[in-house]
Amino acid sequence: MDIFSLANRTMLERGYNLYKAGAVKKVEKVDDDIYVAKVQGEKLYSVTIKLEHLVSSSCNCAYGKNNRRTLCKHKVAAYFAIFPEEAERCPTIIEERDLIDVRLSRSLKELIVKRIDRLTVDEMKEIIMDYWFKEEL
């Protein structure tokens, strides 16, 4: 999988911004598919990028330590330093994702409205009561 399918939108955008700001201070290839990098954030973070399995990459930031199966912004920034051509695709990918999210939101809203319109008064009462009593527990 590629970085765009593994990183969430927020981390992609933040990582891209770090990369563009020059926060990646050092990148070194240490093996065929392993790179180490230093990325400046609140402090200087150590990042290891494993190209064969990106989710196994590591970072010593709080998010990276606690969410080992996700990509933090420092990992994304380091990846973009290794593959600048991928970084150039990032704004377009983010924009496309946003458009998809808007379309899905509209579709979901339409689906919910249609479902509500088909409910009888008794069904609505039941749903409201179930919700109310579930919240009370």
Side-chain angles (χ1 to χ4, degrees), residues 1-8 12 49-55 57 71 76 79-80 83 85-87 89-90 93 96-97:
M1 298 187 102
D2 70 357
I3 192 98
F4 299 110
S5 55
L6 293 172
N8 67 42
L12 274 176
I49 299 292
K50 297 178 180 179
L51 298 179
E52 286 291 317
H53 202 252
L54 281 174
V55 293
S57 299
L71 299 179
V76 173
Y79 181 88
F80 286 153
F83 299 104
E85 67 281 359
E86 291 291 286
R89 293 179 49 217
C90 189
I93 299 288
E96 288 170 358
R97 276 191 184 181

Side-chain angles (χ1 to χ4, degrees), residues 117-134:
D117 286 345
R118 288 193 304 243
L119 291 173
T120 66
V121 172
D122 287 338
E123 289 171 327
M124 280 194 191
K125 285 179 183 177
E126 184 179 337
I127 290 169
I128 292 168
M129 294 300 284
D130 287 347
Y131 176 78
W132 179 268
F133 289 113
K134 183 173 96 177

Side-chain angles (χ1 to χ4, degrees), residues 20-86:
K20 291 301 272 186
V24 182
K25 301 302 180 190
K26 178 183 172 187
V27 177
E28 182 182 342
K29 186 174 184 175
V30 294
D31 202 349
D32 287 341
D33 69 335
I34 300 175
Y35 290 79
V36 292
K38 297 290 183 186
V39 180
Q40 186 65 55
E42 289 180 27
K43 65 179 195 172
L44 192 62
Y45 295 103
S46 298
V47 178
T48 301
I49 299 292
K50 297 178 180 179
L51 298 179
E52 286 291 317
H53 202 252
L54 281 174
V55 293
S56 295
S57 299
S58 62
C59 179
N60 66 336
C61 72
Y63 187 83
K65 284 184 198 174
N66 295 325
N67 299 287
R68 293 204 172 135
R69 290 299 194 195
T70 62
L71 299 179
C72 68
K73 61 186 176 185
H74 310 106
K75 293 176 191 176
V76 173
Y79 181 88
F80 286 153
I82 298 163
F83 299 104
E85 67 281 359
E86 291 291 286

Side-chain angles (χ1 to χ4, degrees), residues 95-111:
E95 188 175 304
E96 288 170 358
R97 276 191 184 181
D98 289 348
L99 287 172
I100 290 168
D101 288 347
V102 167
R103 288 185 196 126
L104 286 174
S105 293
R106 282 191 206 133
S107 297
L108 181 59
K109 181 179 177 182
E110 290 170 7
L111 183 67

